Amino acid sequence: MIRGFFRLVGLLLLAGGFFFLVYDGARSIADQALRLTRLGEFWNDIHQASQAAFRTMVEGVSPWLWNGVVKIILNQPAWAVMGVLGILLLLLFRPRKPLIGYSRN
């Protein structure tokens, strides 16, 4: 059951990544310049207070983690981050291959 849930989350992230790829592509064509939606900008547009709370939580755990890892991830395009996370979840929680010749009891 947990495997199915994480596969669903992975599929939704992959669909969100595809949506942002199409959205950024249409925006780039309309503006005749490369326009990418950063994950941090998207999160800021959705709920700014949660991003600030997450920052204080991460800096409370270890200050170098915000500048070293999280800030780099938040500056990447939203379609790339969501797509990679979706693919990873789908691959990690894929169904097991059926065994041939004996049962798995």
Side-chain angles (χ1 to χ4, degrees):
M1 187 164 128
I2 299 294
R3 181 180 293 156
F5 174 72
F6 282 114
R7 284 182 52 89
L8 175 67
V9 170
L11 191 61
L12 290 175
L13 282 172
L14 196 59
F18 181 71
F19 171 78
F20 275 107
L21 181 66
V22 171
Y23 176 72
D24 288 343
R27 223 171 59 167
S28 296
I29 291 171
D31 291 344
Q32 295 181 354
L34 184 61
R35 303 282 182 199
L36 296 174
T37 304
R38 306 278 179 222
L39 184 64
E41 294 172 4
F42 172 66
W43 189 3
N44 195 20
D45 291 343
I46 296 298
H47 197 258
Q48 190 173 10
S50 68
Q51 187 178 13
F54 181 71
R55 180 179 181 165
T56 57
M57 182 187 73
V58 169
E59 286 179 340
V61 170
S62 63
W64 62 270
L65 190 62
W66 178 259
N67 290 329
V69 177
V70 177
K71 201 170 184 183
I72 293 171
I73 292 172
L74 290 177
N75 284 331
Q76 300 306 312
W79 63 267
V81 175
M82 293 174 93
V84 167
L85 281 176
I87 289 171
L88 281 175
L89 284 176
L90 285 173
L91 287 176
L92 287 174
F93 294 101
R94 65 181 171 211
R96 293 182 183 156
K97 253 185 176 176
L99 297 176
I100 298 173
Y102 58 93
S103 67
R104 194 182 292 212
N105 296 334

